[in-house]
Amino acid sequence: MSQGDDSQSYVEVIGLPPSTLRTLEDATLTDAQWSEILRVAVGPDAPPMLGVYDVIDEAVRFTPPFPLDEGRSYEVRFDPARMPGGASAGLALLT
């Protein structure tokens, strides 16, 4: 979890291969599809938080509409098998 220069909170997944980032950048995904790939929630049984998903600066970024609570634990899961191309897209992470 980070805060940008304008104090906006966000969650980033870094270290992804360029091919994975291109796949996500080129895809037209709904909010529901994005939240299956990168899920941010207040707990394992809670629904995913609403927010904006972007590919920015060699990372996948989730920005909620309101700041994340400092000191609160969030459950974050990145699942490349849910990307367009399914399991084959996830294999790009192993190279």
Coordinates of all heavy atoms in Angstrom, one line a residue:
M1 N 0.9 -1.2 0.0 CA 0.0 0.0 0.0 C 0.9 1.2 0.0 O 1.9 1.3 0.7 CB -0.9 0.0 1.2 CG -1.8 1.2 1.3 SD -3.1 1.0 2.6 CE -2.1 1.5 4.1
S2 N 0.5 2.2 -0.8 CA 1.3 3.4 -0.9 C 0.4 4.6 -1.0 O -0.8 4.5 -1.2 CB 2.2 3.4 -2.2 OG 3.1 2.3 -2.1
Q3 N 1.1 5.8 -0.8 CA 0.3 7.0 -1.1 C 1.1 7.8 -2.1 O 2.3 7.9 -2.0 CB 0.2 7.8 0.2 CG -0.8 7.2 1.2 CD -1.2 8.3 2.2 OE1 -0.6 9.2 2.5 NE2 -2.4 8.0 2.8
G4 N 0.4 8.3 -3.1 CA 1.0 9.1 -4.1 C 1.3 10.5 -3.6 O 1.1 10.8 -2.5
D5 N 1.8 11.4 -4.5 CA 2.2 12.7 -4.1 C 1.0 13.5 -3.7 O 1.1 14.4 -2.9 CB 2.8 13.4 -5.3 CG 4.2 12.8 -5.7 OD1 4.8 12.2 -4.8 OD2 4.6 12.9 -6.9
D6 N -0.2 13.2 -4.2 CA -1.4 13.9 -3.8 C -2.2 13.2 -2.6 O -3.3 13.5 -2.4 CB -2.3 14.1 -5.0 CG -2.8 12.8 -5.6 OD1 -2.3 11.7 -5.1 OD2 -3.6 12.8 -6.5
S7 N -1.5 12.4 -1.9 CA -2.0 11.7 -0.7 C -3.1 10.7 -1.1 O -3.8 10.3 -0.2 CB -2.5 12.7 0.3 OG -1.5 13.5 0.8
Q8 N -3.2 10.3 -2.3 CA -4.1 9.3 -2.7 C -3.5 7.9 -2.5 O -2.4 7.6 -2.8 CB -4.4 9.4 -4.2 CG -5.4 8.4 -4.8 CD -6.8 8.5 -4.2 OE1 -7.3 9.5 -4.1 NE2 -7.3 7.3 -3.8
S9 N -4.2 7.1 -1.8 CA -3.8 5.7 -1.5 C -3.9 4.8 -2.7 O -4.9 5.0 -3.5 CB -4.6 5.1 -0.4 OG -4.5 5.9 0.8
Y10 N -3.1 3.8 -2.8 CA -3.2 2.9 -3.9 C -2.4 1.6 -3.5 O -1.6 1.6 -2.6 CB -2.7 3.4 -5.3 CG -1.3 3.9 -5.3 CD1 -0.2 3.0 -5.5 CD2 -1.0 5.2 -5.0 CE1 1.1 3.5 -5.5 CE2 0.3 5.7 -5.0 CZ 1.4 4.8 -5.3 OH 2.7 5.2 -5.2
V11 N -2.7 0.5 -4.3 CA -2.1 -0.8 -4.1 C -1.5 -1.1 -5.5 O -2.1 -0.9 -6.5 CB -3.1 -1.9 -3.7 CG1 -2.4 -3.2 -3.7 CG2 -3.7 -1.6 -2.4
E12 N -0.2 -1.5 -5.5 CA 0.5 -1.8 -6.8 C 1.1 -3.2 -6.7 O 1.5 -3.7 -5.7 CB 1.7 -0.9 -7.0 CG 1.2 0.5 -7.6 CD 2.4 1.3 -8.0 OE1 3.6 1.1 -7.6 OE2 2.2 2.3 -8.8
V13 N 1.0 -3.9 -7.9 CA 1.7 -5.1 -8.1 C 2.9 -4.8 -9.0 O 2.7 -4.3 -10.1 CB 0.8 -6.2 -8.8 CG1 1.5 -7.5 -9.1 CG2 -0.5 -6.4 -7.9
I14 N 4.1 -5.0 -8.5 CA 5.3 -4.7 -9.3 C 6.0 -5.9 -9.7 O 5.8 -7.0 -9.1 CB 6.2 -3.7 -8.5 CG1 6.6 -4.3 -7.2 CG2 5.4 -2.4 -8.3 CD1 7.6 -3.4 -6.4
G15 N 7.0 -5.8 -10.5 CA 7.9 -6.9 -10.9 C 7.2 -7.9 -11.9 O 7.7 -9.0 -12.1
L16 N 6.2 -7.4 -12.6 CA 5.6 -8.3 -13.6 C 6.3 -8.1 -14.9 O 6.8 -7.1 -15.2 CB 4.1 -7.8 -13.8 CG 3.2 -7.9 -12.6 CD1 1.8 -7.3 -12.9 CD2 3.0 -9.4 -12.2
P17 N 6.4 -9.2 -15.7 CA 7.0 -9.2 -17.0 C 6.3 -8.2 -17.9 O 5.1 -8.0 -17.8 CB 6.9 -10.6 -17.5 CG 6.5 -11.4 -16.4 CD 5.8 -10.5 -15.4
P18 N 7.1 -7.6 -18.9 CA 6.4 -6.7 -19.8 C 5.3 -7.3 -20.6 O 4.3 -6.6 -20.9 CB 7.6 -6.3 -20.7 CG 8.8 -6.4 -19.9 CD 8.5 -7.6 -19.0
S19 N 5.4 -8.6 -20.9 CA 4.3 -9.2 -21.7 C 3.0 -9.3 -20.9 O 1.9 -9.1 -21.4 CB 4.7 -10.6 -22.1 OG 5.0 -11.4 -21.0
T20 N 3.1 -9.5 -19.6 CA 1.9 -9.5 -18.7 C 1.3 -8.1 -18.6 O 0.1 -8.0 -18.7 CB 2.3 -10.0 -17.3 OG1 2.8 -11.3 -17.4 CG2 1.1 -10.0 -16.4
L21 N 2.2 -7.1 -18.5 CA 1.7 -5.7 -18.4 C 1.0 -5.3 -19.7 O -0.1 -4.7 -19.7 CB 2.8 -4.8 -18.1 CG 3.4 -4.9 -16.7 CD1 4.7 -4.1 -16.6 CD2 2.4 -4.5 -15.6
R22 N 1.6 -5.7 -20.9 CA 0.9 -5.4 -22.2 C -0.4 -6.1 -22.3 O -1.4 -5.5 -22.8 CB 1.9 -5.9 -23.3 CG 2.9 -4.8 -23.7 CD 3.6 -5.2 -25.0 NE 4.2 -6.5 -25.0 CZ 5.4 -6.8 -24.5 NH1 6.1 -5.9 -24.0 NH2 5.8 -8.1 -24.6
T23 N -0.5 -7.4 -21.9 CA -1.8 -8.1 -21.9 C -2.8 -7.4 -21.2 O -4.0 -7.2 -21.7 CB -1.6 -9.5 -21.4 OG1 -0.7 -10.2 -22.2 CG2 -3.0 -10.3 -21.4
L24 N -2.5 -6.9 -20.0 CA -3.5 -6.2 -19.2 C -3.8 -4.8 -19.7 O -4.9 -4.4 -19.7 CB -3.0 -6.1 -17.7 CG -3.0 -7.4 -16.9 CD1 -2.2 -7.2 -15.6 CD2 -4.4 -7.8 -16.7
E25 N -2.8 -4.2 -20.2 CA -3.0 -2.8 -20.8 C -3.9 -2.9 -22.1 O -4.7 -2.0 -22.3 CB -1.6 -2.2 -21.1 CG -1.7 -0.7 -21.4 CD -0.3 -0.1 -21.4 OE1 0.6 -0.8 -21.9 OE2 -0.1 1.0 -20.9
D26 N -3.7 -3.9 -22.9 CA -4.5 -4.0 -24.1 C -5.9 -4.6 -23.9 O -6.7 -4.4 -24.8 CB -3.7 -4.9 -25.1 CG -2.4 -4.3 -25.6 OD1 -2.2 -3.1 -25.4 OD2 -1.6 -5.1 -26.1
A27 N -6.1 -5.2 -22.8 CA -7.4 -5.8 -22.5 C -8.5 -4.8 -22.2 O -8.2 -3.8 -21.6 CB -7.3 -6.8 -21.4
T28 N -9.7 -5.1 -22.6 CA -10.9 -4.3 -22.1 C -11.6 -5.1 -21.1 O -12.3 -6.0 -21.4 CB -11.8 -4.0 -23.3 OG1 -11.0 -3.3 -24.3 CG2 -12.9 -3.1 -22.9
L29 N -11.3 -4.7 -19.8 CA -11.8 -5.5 -18.7 C -12.9 -4.7 -17.9 O -12.8 -3.5 -17.7 CB -10.7 -5.9 -17.7 CG -9.6 -6.7 -18.3 CD1 -8.4 -6.8 -17.3 CD2 -10.0 -8.1 -18.7
T30 N -13.9 -5.4 -17.4 CA -14.9 -4.8 -16.6 C -14.3 -4.7 -15.2 O -13.3 -5.3 -14.8 CB -16.2 -5.7 -16.5 OG1 -15.8 -6.9 -15.9 CG2 -16.8 -5.9 -17.9
D31 N -14.9 -3.9 -14.3 CA -14.5 -3.9 -12.9 C -14.5 -5.2 -12.2 O -13.6 -5.6 -11.5 CB -15.3 -2.9 -12.1 CG -15.1 -1.4 -12.5 OD1 -14.1 -1.1 -13.1 OD2 -16.0 -0.6 -12.2
A32 N -15.5 -6.0 -12.6 CA -15.6 -7.4 -12.0 C -14.4 -8.3 -12.4 O -13.9 -9.0 -11.6 CB -16.9 -8.0 -12.3
Q33 N -14.0 -8.1 -13.7 CA -12.9 -8.9 -14.2 C -11.6 -8.4 -13.6 O -10.8 -9.3 -13.2 CB -12.8 -8.8 -15.7 CG -13.9 -9.6 -16.4 CD -14.0 -9.2 -17.9 OE1 -13.9 -8.1 -18.3 NE2 -14.1 -10.3 -18.7
W34 N -11.4 -7.1 -13.4 CA -10.2 -6.6 -12.8 C -10.2 -7.1 -11.3 O -9.1 -7.5 -10.9 CB -10.2 -5.1 -12.8 CG -9.5 -4.5 -13.9 CD1 -10.1 -3.7 -14.9 CD2 -8.1 -4.5 -14.2 NE1 -9.1 -3.3 -15.8 CE2 -7.9 -3.8 -15.4 CE3 -7.0 -5.1 -13.6 CZ2 -6.6 -3.6 -15.9 CZ3 -5.8 -4.9 -14.1 CH2 -5.6 -4.2 -15.3
S35 N -11.3 -7.1 -10.6 CA -11.2 -7.5 -9.2 C -11.0 -9.0 -9.1 O -10.6 -9.4 -8.0 CB -12.5 -7.1 -8.5 OG -13.6 -7.8 -9.0
E36 N -11.2 -9.8 -10.1 CA -10.8 -11.2 -10.1 C -9.3 -11.3 -10.2 O -8.7 -12.3 -9.7 CB -11.5 -12.0 -11.1 CG -13.0 -12.2 -10.8 CD -13.7 -13.0 -11.8 OE1 -13.1 -13.5 -12.8 OE2 -14.9 -13.2 -11.7
I37 N -8.7 -10.4 -11.0 CA -7.2 -10.5 -11.2 C -6.5 -9.9 -10.0 O -5.6 -10.5 -9.5 CB -6.9 -9.7 -12.5 CG1 -7.5 -10.4 -13.7 CG2 -5.4 -9.6 -12.7 CD1 -7.5 -9.6 -15.0
L38 N -6.9 -8.7 -9.6 CA -6.3 -8.0 -8.5 C -7.4 -7.7 -7.5 O -8.2 -6.7 -7.7 CB -5.6 -6.7 -8.9 CG -5.0 -5.8 -7.8 CD1 -4.1 -6.6 -6.9 CD2 -4.3 -4.6 -8.4
R39 N -7.5 -8.4 -6.4 CA -8.6 -8.3 -5.5 C -8.1 -7.6 -4.2 O -7.1 -8.0 -3.6 CB -9.2 -9.7 -5.1 CG -10.3 -9.6 -4.2 CD -10.8 -11.0 -3.8 NE -12.0 -11.0 -3.0 CZ -12.0 -10.8 -1.7 NH1 -10.9 -10.6 -1.1 NH2 -13.2 -10.8 -1.1
V40 N -8.7 -6.5 -3.9 CA -8.4 -5.8 -2.6 C -9.7 -5.7 -1.8 O -10.7 -5.3 -2.3 CB -7.9 -4.3 -2.9 CG1 -7.6 -3.6 -1.7 CG2 -6.7 -4.3 -3.9
A41 N -9.6 -6.2 -0.6 CA -10.7 -6.3 0.3 C -10.3 -6.0 1.7 O -9.1 -6.1 2.1 CB -11.4 -7.6 0.2
V42 N -11.3 -5.8 2.6 CA -11.0 -5.6 4.0 C -10.8 -6.9 4.8 O -10.5 -6.9 5.9 CB -12.0 -4.7 4.7 CG1 -11.9 -3.3 4.1 CG2 -13.4 -5.2 4.6
G43 N -11.1 -8.0 4.1 CA -11.0 -9.3 4.7 C -11.3 -10.4 3.7 O -11.8 -10.1 2.6
P44 N -11.0 -11.7 4.1 CA -11.2 -12.8 3.1 C -12.6 -13.0 2.7 O -12.9 -13.5 1.6 CB -10.6 -14.0 3.8 CG -10.6 -13.6 5.3 CD -10.5 -12.1 5.3
D45 N -13.6 -12.7 3.6 CA -15.0 -12.9 3.2 C -15.7 -11.7 2.8 O -16.9 -11.7 2.4 CB -15.7 -13.5 4.4 CG -15.1 -14.9 4.8 OD1 -14.7 -15.6 4.0 OD2 -15.1 -15.1 6.1
A46 N -15.0 -10.5 2.7 CA -15.6 -9.3 2.3 C -15.6 -9.2 0.8 O -14.7 -9.7 0.1 CB -14.8 -8.1 2.9
P47 N -16.5 -8.4 0.3 CA -16.5 -8.2 -1.2 C -15.3 -7.3 -1.6 O -14.7 -6.6 -0.8 CB -17.8 -7.5 -1.5 CG -18.2 -6.8 -0.2 CD -17.6 -7.7 0.9
P48 N -14.9 -7.4 -2.9 CA -13.7 -6.6 -3.3 C -14.1 -5.1 -3.2 O -15.3 -4.7 -3.4 CB -13.5 -7.0 -4.7 CG -14.7 -7.8 -5.1 CD -15.4 -8.3 -3.9
M49 N -13.1 -4.3 -2.9 CA -13.4 -2.9 -2.9 C -13.6 -2.3 -4.3 O -13.0 -2.9 -5.2 CB -12.1 -2.2 -2.2 CG -11.9 -2.6 -0.8 SD -10.4 -1.9 -0.1 CE -10.7 -0.1 -0.2
L50 N -14.3 -1.2 -4.4 CA -14.5 -0.5 -5.6 C -13.3 0.4 -5.8 O -12.7 0.9 -4.9 CB -15.7 0.3 -5.6 CG -17.1 -0.4 -5.4 CD1 -18.2 0.6 -5.3 CD2 -17.3 -1.4 -6.5
G51 N -12.9 0.6 -7.1 CA -11.8 1.5 -7.4 C -11.5 1.5 -8.9 O -12.2 0.9 -9.7
V52 N -10.3 2.1 -9.2 CA -9.9 2.2 -10.5 C -8.6 1.3 -10.7 O -7.7 1.4 -9.8 CB -9.6 3.7 -10.9 CG1 -9.0 3.8 -12.3 CG2 -10.8 4.5 -10.7
Y53 N -8.6 0.6 -11.8 CA -7.4 -0.3 -12.1 C -6.7 0.3 -13.3 O -7.3 0.7 -14.3 CB -7.9 -1.7 -12.4 CG -8.5 -2.4 -11.3 CD1 -9.9 -2.2 -11.0 CD2 -7.8 -3.2 -10.4 CE1 -10.5 -2.9 -10.0 CE2 -8.4 -3.9 -9.4 CZ -9.8 -3.7 -9.2 OH -10.4 -4.3 -8.1
D54 N -5.4 0.4 -13.2 CA -4.5 0.9 -14.3 C -3.2 0.1 -14.4 O -2.8 -0.4 -13.4 CB -4.2 2.4 -14.1 CG -5.4 3.3 -14.1 OD1 -6.0 3.4 -15.2 OD2 -5.6 4.0 -13.1
V55 N -2.6 0.2 -15.6 CA -1.3 -0.2 -15.8 C -0.4 1.1 -15.9 O -0.6 1.8 -16.8 CB -1.1 -1.1 -17.0 CG1 0.4 -1.5 -17.2 CG2 -1.9 -2.4 -16.9
I56 N 0.4 1.3 -14.9 CA 1.1 2.6 -14.7 C 2.6 2.2 -14.3 O 2.8 1.5 -13.4 CB 0.5 3.5 -13.7 CG1 -0.9 3.8 -14.1 CG2 1.3 4.7 -13.4 CD1 -1.6 4.7 -13.0
D57 N 3.5 2.9 -15.0 CA 4.9 2.8 -14.6 C 5.4 1.3 -14.3 O 5.9 1.1 -13.2 CB 5.2 3.7 -13.4 CG 4.9 5.1 -13.7 OD1 5.1 5.6 -14.8 OD2 4.5 5.8 -12.8
E58 N 5.1 0.4 -15.2 CA 5.6 -1.0 -15.1 C 4.9 -1.7 -13.8 O 5.5 -2.5 -13.2 CB 7.1 -1.1 -15.0 CG 7.7 -0.5 -16.3 CD 9.2 -0.6 -16.3 OE1 9.8 -1.1 -15.3 OE2 9.8 -0.1 -17.2
A59 N 3.7 -1.3 -13.5 CA 3.0 -1.9 -12.4 C 1.5 -1.9 -12.7 O 1.0 -1.2 -13.6 CB 3.2 -1.1 -11.1
V60 N 0.8 -2.8 -12.0 CA -0.7 -2.8 -12.0 C -1.1 -2.0 -10.8 O -0.7 -2.4 -9.7 CB -1.2 -4.2 -12.1 CG1 -2.8 -4.2 -12.0 CG2 -0.8 -4.9 -13.3
R61 N -1.9 -1.0 -10.9 CA -2.3 -0.2 -9.8 C -3.8 -0.2 -9.6 O -4.6 -0.1 -10.5 CB -1.8 1.2 -10.0 CG -2.2 2.2 -8.8 CD -1.7 3.6 -9.0 NE -0.3 3.7 -9.0 CZ 0.4 4.8 -9.1 NH1 -0.2 5.9 -9.4 NH2 1.7 4.8 -9.0
F62 N -4.2 -0.4 -8.3 CA -5.6 -0.2 -7.9 C -5.7 1.0 -7.0 O -4.9 1.2 -6.0 CB -6.0 -1.4 -7.1 CG -7.3 -1.2 -6.3 CD1 -8.5 -1.4 -7.0 CD2 -7.4 -0.9 -5.0 CE1 -9.7 -1.2 -6.4 CE2 -8.6 -0.7 -4.3 CZ -9.8 -0.8 -5.0
T63 N -6.6 1.9 -7.3 CA -6.8 3.2 -6.6 C -8.2 3.2 -6.1 O -9.1 3.3 -6.9 CB -6.4 4.4 -7.4 OG1 -5.1 4.3 -8.0 CG2 -6.5 5.7 -6.6
P64 N -8.4 3.1 -4.8 CA -9.8 3.2 -4.3 C -10.3 4.7 -4.3 O -9.5 5.6 -4.4 CB -9.7 2.7 -2.8 CG -8.3 3.1 -2.4 CD -7.5 2.9 -3.7
P65 N -11.6 4.9 -4.3 CA -12.2 6.2 -4.4 C -11.9 7.0 -3.1 O -11.9 8.2 -3.1 CB -13.7 6.0 -4.6 CG -14.0 4.7 -4.1 CD -12.7 3.9 -4.3
F66 N -11.6 6.3 -2.0 CA -11.3 7.0 -0.7 C -10.0 6.4 -0.2 O -9.6 5.3 -0.5 CB -12.4 6.7 0.3 CG -13.8 7.1 -0.2 CD1 -14.7 6.2 -0.7 CD2 -14.1 8.5 -0.2 CE1 -15.9 6.6 -1.1 CE2 -15.4 8.9 -0.7 CZ -16.3 8.0 -1.1
P67 N -9.3 7.2 0.6 CA -8.0 6.7 1.1 C -8.1 5.4 1.9 O -9.1 5.2 2.6 CB -7.5 7.9 2.0 CG -8.2 9.1 1.5 CD -9.6 8.6 1.0
L68 N -7.1 4.6 1.8 CA -7.1 3.4 2.7 C -6.8 3.8 4.1 O -6.1 4.8 4.3 CB -6.0 2.4 2.1 CG -6.3 1.9 0.7 CD1 -5.0 1.1 0.2 CD2 -7.5 1.0 0.6
D69 N -7.3 3.0 5.1 CA -7.1 3.4 6.5 C -5.7 3.0 6.9 O -5.3 1.8 6.8 CB -8.1 2.7 7.3 CG -9.5 3.1 7.1 OD1 -9.7 4.3 6.6 OD2 -10.5 2.3 7.3
E70 N -4.9 3.9 7.4 CA -3.6 3.6 7.9 C -3.7 2.7 9.1 O -4.6 2.9 10.0 CB -2.9 5.0 8.3 CG -1.5 4.8 8.7 CD -0.8 6.1 8.9 OE1 -1.2 7.1 8.3 OE2 0.1 6.1 9.8
G71 N -2.9 1.7 9.1 CA -2.9 0.7 10.2 C -3.9 -0.4 10.1 O -3.8 -1.4 10.8
R72 N -4.7 -0.3 9.1 CA -5.7 -1.4 8.8 C -5.1 -2.4 7.9 O -4.4 -2.1 6.9 CB -7.0 -0.9 8.2 CG -8.0 -1.9 7.9 CD -9.3 -1.3 7.4 NE -10.4 -2.2 7.8 CZ -11.6 -1.8 7.9 NH1 -11.9 -0.6 7.5 NH2 -12.5 -2.6 8.3
S73 N -5.4 -3.7 8.2 CA -4.9 -4.8 7.3 C -5.9 -5.0 6.1 O -7.2 -4.9 6.4 CB -4.8 -6.1 8.0 OG -3.8 -6.0 9.0
Y74 N -5.4 -5.2 5.0 CA -6.2 -5.4 3.8 C -5.8 -6.7 3.2 O -4.6 -7.1 3.3 CB -6.1 -4.3 2.7 CG -6.7 -3.0 3.2 CD1 -5.9 -2.1 3.9 CD2 -8.0 -2.7 2.9 CE1 -6.5 -0.9 4.4 CE2 -8.6 -1.5 3.3 CZ -7.8 -0.6 4.0 OH -8.4 0.6 4.5
E75 N -6.7 -7.4 2.6 CA -6.4 -8.6 1.9 C -6.2 -8.3 0.4 O -7.1 -7.8 -0.2 CB -7.5 -9.7 2.1 CG -7.2 -10.9 1.3 CD -7.6 -12.2 2.0 OE1 -7.5 -12.2 3.2 OE2 -8.1 -13.1 1.3
V76 N -5.0 -8.6 -0.1 CA -4.7 -8.3 -1.5 C -4.3 -9.6 -2.2 O -3.4 -10.3 -1.7 CB -3.6 -7.2 -1.6 CG1 -3.2 -7.0 -3.1 CG2 -4.0 -5.9 -0.9
R77 N -4.9 -9.9 -3.3 CA -4.5 -11.1 -4.1 C -4.4 -10.7 -5.5 O -5.3 -10.2 -6.1 CB -5.6 -12.2 -3.9 CG -5.3 -13.5 -4.6 CD -6.5 -14.4 -4.7 NE -7.4 -13.8 -5.8 CZ -8.7 -13.8 -5.6 NH1 -9.3 -14.2 -4.6 NH2 -9.4 -13.3 -6.6
F78 N -3.3 -11.1 -6.1 CA -3.1 -11.0 -7.6 C -3.1 -12.4 -8.1 O -2.3 -13.3 -7.7 CB -1.8 -10.3 -7.9 CG -1.5 -10.2 -9.4 CD1 -2.2 -9.3 -10.1 CD2 -0.6 -11.0 -10.0 CE1 -2.0 -9.2 -11.5 CE2 -0.3 -10.9 -11.3 CZ -1.0 -10.0 -12.1
D79 N -4.0 -12.6 -9.1 CA -4.2 -14.0 -9.7 C -4.1 -13.9 -11.2 O -5.0 -13.7 -11.9 CB -5.6 -14.5 -9.3 CG -5.8 -15.9 -9.7 OD1 -4.9 -16.5 -10.4 OD2 -6.9 -16.5 -9.3
P80 N -2.8 -14.1 -11.7 CA -2.6 -14.0 -13.1 C -3.4 -15.1 -13.9 O -3.6 -14.9 -15.1 CB -1.1 -14.2 -13.3 CG -0.7 -14.9 -12.0 CD -1.6 -14.5 -11.0
A81 N -3.8 -16.2 -13.3 CA -4.6 -17.2 -14.1 C -5.9 -16.6 -14.5 O -6.6 -17.2 -15.4 CB -4.8 -18.4 -13.2
R82 N -6.4 -15.5 -13.9 CA -7.7 -14.9 -14.3 C -7.5 -13.9 -15.4 O -8.5 -13.2 -15.8 CB -8.3 -14.3 -13.0 CG -8.5 -15.2 -11.9 CD -9.9 -15.4 -11.6 NE -10.1 -16.2 -10.5 CZ -11.2 -16.9 -10.3 NH1 -12.2 -16.8 -11.2 NH2 -11.4 -17.7 -9.3
M83 N -6.3 -13.6 -15.8 CA -6.1 -12.7 -16.9 C -6.6 -13.2 -18.2 O -6.8 -14.4 -18.4 CB -4.6 -12.4 -17.0 CG -4.0 -11.7 -15.9 SD -2.2 -11.4 -16.0 CE -1.9 -11.1 -17.7
P84 N -6.8 -12.3 -19.2 CA -7.1 -12.8 -20.5 C -6.1 -13.7 -21.0 O -4.9 -13.5 -20.8 CB -7.1 -11.5 -21.4 CG -7.3 -10.4 -20.4 CD -6.7 -10.8 -19.1
G85 N -6.5 -14.9 -21.5 CA -5.5 -15.9 -21.9 C -5.4 -17.0 -20.8 O -4.7 -18.0 -21.0
G86 N -6.0 -16.7 -19.6 CA -6.0 -17.7 -18.5 C -4.7 -18.2 -18.1 O -3.8 -17.4 -17.8
A87 N -4.5 -19.4 -17.9 CA -3.3 -20.0 -17.3 C -2.1 -19.7 -18.1 O -1.0 -19.5 -17.6 CB -3.5 -21.5 -17.1
S88 N -2.2 -19.6 -19.4 CA -1.1 -19.3 -20.3 C -0.5 -17.9 -20.0 O 0.7 -17.7 -20.1 CB -1.4 -19.5 -21.7 OG -2.4 -18.5 -22.1
A89 N -1.4 -17.0 -19.6 CA -0.9 -15.6 -19.3 C -0.2 -15.7 -18.0 O 0.8 -15.0 -17.8 CB -2.1 -14.7 -19.2
G90 N -0.6 -16.5 -17.0 CA 0.1 -16.7 -15.8 C 1.5 -17.3 -15.9 O 2.4 -17.0 -15.1
L91 N 1.7 -18.1 -16.9 CA 3.0 -18.7 -17.2 C 4.0 -17.6 -17.5 O 5.2 -17.8 -17.2 CB 2.9 -19.7 -18.3 CG 2.1 -21.0 -18.0 CD1 2.1 -21.9 -19.2 CD2 2.7 -21.7 -16.8
A92 N 3.6 -16.5 -18.0 CA 4.6 -15.4 -18.3 C 5.3 -14.9 -17.1 O 6.4 -14.4 -17.1 CB 3.9 -14.2 -19.0
L93 N 4.6 -15.1 -15.9 CA 5.3 -14.7 -14.6 C 6.5 -15.6 -14.3 O 7.3 -15.2 -13.5 CB 4.2 -14.7 -13.5 CG 3.1 -13.7 -13.6 CD1 2.1 -14.0 -12.5 CD2 3.7 -12.3 -13.5
L94 N 6.5 -16.8 -14.8 CA 7.6 -17.7 -14.4 C 8.9 -17.5 -15.3 O 9.9 -18.1 -15.0 CB 7.1 -19.1 -14.6 CG 5.9 -19.5 -13.8 CD1 5.4 -20.9 -14.1 CD2 6.1 -19.3 -12.3
T95 N 8.8 -16.7 -16.3 CA 10.0 -16.5 -17.2 C 10.9 -15.4 -16.7 O 10.5 -14.6 -15.9 CB 9.5 -16.2 -18.6 OG1 8.7 -15.0 -18.7 CG2 8.8 -17.4 -19.2

